[in-house]
Amino acid sequence: MIRYLLLALLGRSAAYGYELKAAFERLLAGTWPINIGQVYRELARMEANGLVECTVVAQDLLPDRKVYELTERGSKELERWLEAPPTSLVRLRDEVFLKVIVQLGNHGAALETIWRQREAHLTAIAELGRLRNETDAATGLLIDGLVLRLEADLRWLDLAEDADRAT
Amino acid sequence: MIRYLLLALLGRSAAYGYELKAAFERLLAGTWPINIGQVYRELARMEANGLVECTVVAQDLLPDRKVYELTERGSKELERWLEAPPTSLVRLRDEVFLKVIVQLGNHGAALETIWRQREAHLTAIAELGRLRNETDAATGLLIDGLVLRLEADLRWLDLAEDADRAT
DNA sequence: AGTGCCATGTAAGGAGTTACATGATTCG
DNA sequence: CGAATCATGTAACTCCTTACATGGCACT
């Protein structure tokens, strides 16, 4: 995933690692903090695979920059990813859901988890509301997506509470 | 995650690996196919950590079973997980979202991705509807959660389409 | 003197996926 | 004879996370 996001960012314009980390986190509004080391490792790997190539740009006073850009293969690979059929959506590996369903019927415990989660969801939604203001279109849209999901999960927590009481 | 789910299953009753794999997949309605090898590896690891202990039960005609049960430490660990504060919900690493936002403004491409995704979501929802019939309460609830999320994502795709046209 | 920014990296490890190995029994 | 079920495991690999290393400059 990281690899393809970096490819997508390089598809917009050539960039060096340090800059890519910032662009990456700005695009995702900091919801995916990435370690700078990983950016360099991915770039090195992609270079080895011929997806990107770099030019060293010397600077005085500051360290050299290694400016990367997509190769032909790189943009093919990016395009391939973008056009690939969606991976299976029938897949749910979230703590929230799992913690609740394994406790279903265990009244006290399930309800406590549900309440804790509900509160966490509300906090997260509020936090995203604050984040939403300081972003551009694409990032704002991403945040909207997150909020919609969290709202769906809140409705699910209501369902779960009913289901637990019904047992 | 796998580790804790196995602990939760063992919290219900002692079981051996082969059986745990089946219970795991039944609980998750097959949305998380797990490799049997991983079950054995996790069990071995948990045994080394003193979370579970096993008794070998000989069978005639069939291979021996290693029946595991939670230790005191194991149920403490399970409880700790269940009661732990939810991990951050402000985090979104799904292909769907990322593929769309990196293409936003790139009209043709973004719209194609959106349509592909919409279709995949509808297919997935239909599939889950079929699955829903053959399950018990907890698993059914899980599926409801998945469906709610997919519906939220569908609404998001509408938002994304509007946002793309607006650029 | 210490913190933070610029810019590059290496290394260790956890979690999950996929494939393969072994051996007996039962069903078609 | 071949495939599926029961039952155990090992090995290799990808992806992501976390921590650490280096070195100069600027600001307080």
Side-chain angles (χ1 to χ4, degrees), chain B residues 12 14 25 41 55 63 102 111 119 131 145 149 161 164 167:
Chain B
R12 298 176 174 181
E25 295 186 338
R41 199 166 31 71
T55 326
V102 299
L111 291 178
E119 202 157 322
L131 258 187
R149 273 212 180 169
E161 189 168 346
D164 187 64
T167 56

Side-chain angles (χ1 to χ4, degrees), chain A residues 8-30:
Chain A
L9 290 172
L10 288 174
R12 298 175 175 184
S13 68
Y16 51 97
Y18 190 84
E19 192 181 22
L20 279 170
K21 173 191 152 79
F24 185 101
E25 295 186 338
R26 196 169 353 100
L27 178 64
L28 301 182

Side-chain angles (χ1 to χ4, degrees), chain B residues 43-136:
Chain B
L43 286 171
R45 217 195 110 161
M46 293 195 286
E47 190 179 17
N49 293 344
L51 302 178
V52 298
E53 49 190 22
C54 80
T55 326
V56 177
V57 178
Q59 301 182 97
D60 36 75
L61 301 186
L62 287 172
D64 293 354
R65 289 172 175 167
K66 291 175 73 176
V67 175
Y68 289 86
E69 55 189 324
L70 290 191
T71 60
E72 188 63 27
R73 281 195 57 194
S75 42
K76 283 269 172 54
E77 177 66 4
L78 172 58
E79 206 176 317
R80 198 192 55 66
W81 179 65
L82 289 170
E83 291 173 4
T87 56
S88 172
L89 297 163
V90 178
R91 175 194 153 113
L92 210 168
R93 276 144 221 218
D94 281 67
E95 250 188 37
V96 204
F97 292 81
L98 300 175
K99 279 189 187 176
V100 170
I101 67 161
V102 299
Q103 292 182 96
L104 203 73
N106 194 347
H107 291 326
L111 291 178
E112 256 189 59
T113 298
I114 290 169
W115 294 330
R116 245 194 310 268
Q117 281 293 347
R118 203 177 270 137
E119 202 157 322
H121 276 68
L122 291 169
T123 309
I125 289 174
E127 192 184 335
L128 288 168
R130 257 173 279 123
L131 258 187
R132 183 75 176 76
N133 298 322
E134 313 146 10
T135 57
D136 64 13

